[in-house]
Amino acid sequence: LGSGKWSLGLANVAFVATNPKFLYGYLLTWQASVAGDDDRADVNIAAFQPILIGQLGGGTYWRSTGIMNYDFENDGYSVPIGIGIGQVWKSEGTVYNLFVEPQWSAASKGAGWPERQVFVGFNMQFK
């Protein structure tokens, strides 16, 4: 298979959609190195993504989904806060979703964590 690191990952998710105007939940993941080449850096990171979505009508919605990270190996972290907007529409049986969410770092420690970023996405669901 080649050289490198082998890792283990775990995930937990919850999503509540009991209100037609407001959806919320989270995604929690953890990844850690468990075997591999000793000359490769170890990985041990947790990520928590709160998900807040509010329906505005006509397929338009607001969103906040910044992914908070903690690096256990290097004692580094990033806590972005974002607010964005998205649009969902349907055409010939395909559902489209386009969104943009600017995010700013509320707190960070360590090298390589962004101070500002823009999360942009586009997906299609086919019939």
Side-chain angles (χ1 to χ4, degrees):
L1 287 175
S3 60
K5 283 283 185 182
W6 291 80
S7 64
L8 170 71
L10 299 172
N12 178 265
V13 65
F15 199 73
V16 179
T18 56
N19 183 322
K21 295 285 186 182
F22 184 69
L23 314 169
Y24 63 94
Y26 70 86
L27 174 62
L28 176 64
T29 61
W30 171 70
Q31 297 177 43
S33 300
V34 293
D37 295 340
D38 288 335
D39 61 339
R40 300 263 183 151
D42 285 336
V43 172
N44 189 357
I45 192 165
F48 177 70
Q49 181 179 18
I51 301 167
L52 305 170
I53 300 173
Q55 303 297 332
L56 298 173
T60 304
Y61 62 95
W62 65 266
R63 57 182 284 132
S64 183
T65 62
I67 302 171
M68 302 172 201
N69 294 282
Y70 185 79
D71 182 349
F72 294 98
E73 283 293 316
N74 301 304
D75 191 33
Y77 57 84
S78 173
V79 181
I81 303 296
I83 186 78
I85 193 160
Q87 180 69 42
V88 176
W89 71 97
K90 188 174 183 178
S91 177
E92 298 181 21
T94 302
V95 177
Y96 299 89
N97 181 4
L98 175 66
F99 66 86
V100 61
E101 181 180 333
Q103 298 176 348
W104 298 266
S105 179
S108 65
K109 176 184 173 188
W113 299 110
E115 291 298 316
R116 292 172 298 284
Q117 58 193 4
V118 179
F119 183 23
V120 177
F122 175 72
N123 63 57
M124 299 180 291
Q125 297 175 356
F126 302 100
K127 190 173 184 181

